[in-house]
Amino acid sequence: MGLLNFLFGNKTKKIQDFKNRDAVILDVRSKAEYDSGAIPGSKHIPLQQVASKVATIKKWNKPVITCCASGVRSGSAAAILKSNGVEAMNGGGWQSLYRKLD
């Protein structure tokens, strides 16, 4: 096990676990960014709206993998969701997440 895996866990394994449990991919980029390319089937809620949409997200009753352009906004979104009782993880940048989902 590499040092980074030891420190941060194996993200690919966690993504697979979430995916196996029918996780929802939540893209938190702006509408313009999302419209220019996104993971097929992902849901879109800009980061600024995530806190106000927690009740809706909870109704999905599924784990959530957040993504954005680089992983910063999705990290914030995952933290907001976790603090509100949603099982969530930061999937990082949407393009690298998309490759990991294959």
Side-chain angles (χ1 to χ4, degrees):
M1 180 185 289
L3 180 60
L4 291 176
N5 277 351
F6 176 74
L7 292 173
F8 301 108
N10 187 330
K11 187 186 263 186
T12 304
K13 277 187 179 172
K14 190 169 182 182
I15 289 169
Q16 280 306 125
D17 171 54
F18 271 53
K19 183 181 165 193
N20 292 341
R21 292 188 290 128
D22 205 21
V24 173
I25 308 298
L26 178 61
D27 195 314
V28 298
R29 296 175 296 153
S30 70
K31 180 171 179 8
E33 287 174 297
Y34 185 78
D35 288 347
S36 70
I39 297 172
S42 63
K43 295 193 182 287
H44 176 241
I45 299 174
L47 175 59
Q48 300 87 322
Q49 297 175 20
V50 169
S52 66
K53 302 271 187 180
V54 167
T56 299
I57 295 167
K58 281 184 169 185
K59 287 179 188 165
W60 299 343
N61 206 22
K62 294 180 180 180
V64 176
I65 303 173
T66 59
C67 66
C68 63
S70 66
V72 176
R73 287 174 285 179
S74 55
S76 297
I80 290 166
L81 294 175
K82 286 180 192 175
S83 72
N84 283 281
V86 176
E87 185 179 10
M89 70 168 287
N90 179 5
W94 76 272
Q95 291 173 316
S96 68
L97 174 60
Y98 191 28
R99 289 190 295 273
K100 290 175 185 151
L101 290 171
D102 278 344

